Amino acid sequence: MAGVLQRTPTTPARAGVAPRRPPRRRAHVAVFVAPFFVAFALFFLAPIGYAIHQSFFRLTSSGLGLTEPVLEFAGLGNYVTALTDGAFLASIGRVLLFSLIEVPTMVACALALALLLDSARARFRAFFRVSFFLPYGVPGVIASLLWGFLYVPQTSPLIDVLAAAGLPHDFLGPDTILLSIANISTWQFAGYNMLVLIAGLQAIPQELYEAARVDGASETRIAWHVKIPLVRAPLILITVFTLIGTLQLFVEPLILKPLTTAVNSDYTPNLAAYNQAFGQANIHLASAEATLIAVMAFVISFGFLRLVNRKGNRAW
């Protein structure tokens, strides 16, 4: 019929074949995503690659060391040196023990605070939420200094109170320093992890709580049988974050080191790498130790995720 526009028949897309984008649209997409990939390559991949590259070299001096050191390829020599160093291996064992102490403590404290603030009987929620979160805003160095003063017998009112109660305590002794560091980490990060869990709790439909109360469930049973199972994903998230954080333990022992002889330059793997890089001027061995720390954190954190996601019960 004249005057009626005829539609051009379109070719149906073949099954399983994605439609091709016009060249102009692909160029626009490349312009928008290019800054991300450039920044990712420069500030994430390049430092990692440079550290790994440096770990395969070493400086050697000849004679009495009066000549310029020569940079030579060492292969896996720095890794062998690190893995046969008793002090470095002891530091790895120390942070693994610290993880066994800190991770359950942190998760239990954060979950308890979140459940208390999410309880129907909770009062002054905003005040306590801000109060528990405030330590997260304190830099790690300042937090370690604050608690360091409370651990030193000459300046600590806490030790005086415990001594007056007949409970003398040495917070900086060889047997207690790890617990003292765990206390600093828990104080600083429990509030942050609590907020993550509260966000998960607030996403639970209120109808589930009302149905449980109609069935006669107490607040304790609601928390155990409804809330905790439904915040499994946030619980796994804070567990992984805490696990990685404990393996990267650095600031607290570095600040407490001048206050006690229980902390040395190789107390944690990160301190050992820092000491090699800036104390011994051996950046190549430090790079190998840093790479080993990263691999250890990667294997343990992803091993944990694989463990909790087994049998199709996937949370992440």
Side-chain angles (χ1 to χ4, degrees):
M1 178 184 297
V4 178
L5 296 177
Q6 294 182 351
R7 300 181 60 183
T8 303
T10 56
T11 303
R14 288 182 297 173
V17 179
R20 298 185 61 183
R21 294 175 178 173
R24 188 174 180 181
R25 185 177 177 184
R26 288 202 299 268
H28 290 169
V29 172
V31 168
F32 280 108
V33 300
F36 165 76
F37 284 107
V38 171
F40 183 75
L42 287 178
F43 301 110
F44 186 80
L45 296 180
I48 295 176
Y50 184 72
I52 295 175
H53 174 264
Q54 290 295 314
S55 68
F56 292 113
F57 292 87
R58 65 184 170 198
L59 287 174
T60 57
S61 300
S62 59
L64 298 176
L66 300 178
T67 59
E68 284 291 330
V70 178
L71 183 66
E72 63 180 20
F73 183 71
L76 297 177
N78 288 321
Y79 292 94
V80 174
T81 302
L83 293 175
T84 54
D85 183 0
F88 184 70
L89 294 179
S91 69
I92 293 177
R94 201 171 289 119
V95 293
L96 292 178
L97 175 62
F98 181 71
S99 299
L100 292 177
I101 299 171
E102 176 64 9
V103 173
T105 304
M106 177 68 77
V107 173
C109 288
L111 180 61
L113 293 176
L115 290 176
L116 284 174
L117 291 182
D118 192 67
S119 171
R121 298 179 180 177
R123 298 291 183 271
F124 308 108
R125 297 182 184 184
F127 170 77
F128 285 108
R129 191 178 302 168
V130 172
S131 300
F132 294 146
F133 181 72
L134 272 180
Y136 181 70
V138 179
V141 174
I142 304 301
S144 301
L145 283 174
L146 290 174
W147 280 100
F149 288 131
L150 292 176
Y151 292 157
V152 174
Q154 291 79 9
T155 59
S156 173
L158 184 59
I159 292 181
D160 294 337
V161 171
L162 290 175
L167 300 170
H169 196 81
D170 181 11
F171 292 106
L172 299 175
D175 299 329
T176 56
I177 185 65
L178 210 57
L179 297 175
S180 300
I181 294 173
N183 174 62
I184 299 174
S185 299
T186 305
W187 176 80
Q188 190 176 11
F189 294 103
Y192 171 81
N193 291 324
M194 173 202 72
L195 284 187
V196 175
L197 293 177
I198 286 179
L201 288 170
Q202 291 180 345
I204 299 175
Q206 294 296 316
E207 291 81 3
L208 293 178
Y209 299 152
E210 295 170 2
R213 293 188 182 102
V214 169
D215 289 341
S218 63
E219 289 298 322
T220 304
R221 290 179 66 86
I222 291 175
W224 186 256
H225 293 287
V226 178
K227 293 182 178 181
I228 293 179
L230 292 179
V231 293
R232 179 173 175 264
L235 278 173
I236 293 174
L237 177 67
I238 67 170
T239 302
V240 171
F241 283 171
T242 307
L243 188 59
I244 295 174
T246 55
L247 297 176
Q248 297 175 347
L249 186 63
F250 177 73
V251 172
E252 291 86 354
L254 179 67
I255 299 301
L256 295 181
K257 182 173 172 291
L259 305 179
T260 175
T261 57
V263 178
N264 56 29
S265 299
D266 301 317
Y267 192 73
T268 69
N270 273 353
L271 263 182
Y274 175 82
N275 180 52
Q276 286 296 333
F278 300 103
Q280 308 297 325
N282 190 348
I283 62 170
H284 306 289
L285 180 57
S287 298
E289 292 179 345
T291 303
L292 289 173
I293 296 167
V295 171
M296 180 178 67
F298 178 84
V299 170
I300 293 178
S301 56
F302 278 86
F304 172 77
L305 286 176
R306 186 175 178 82
L307 178 67
V308 298
N309 288 332
R310 70 185 190 282
K311 298 180 181 178
N313 194 13
R314 187 177 185 84
W316 285 90

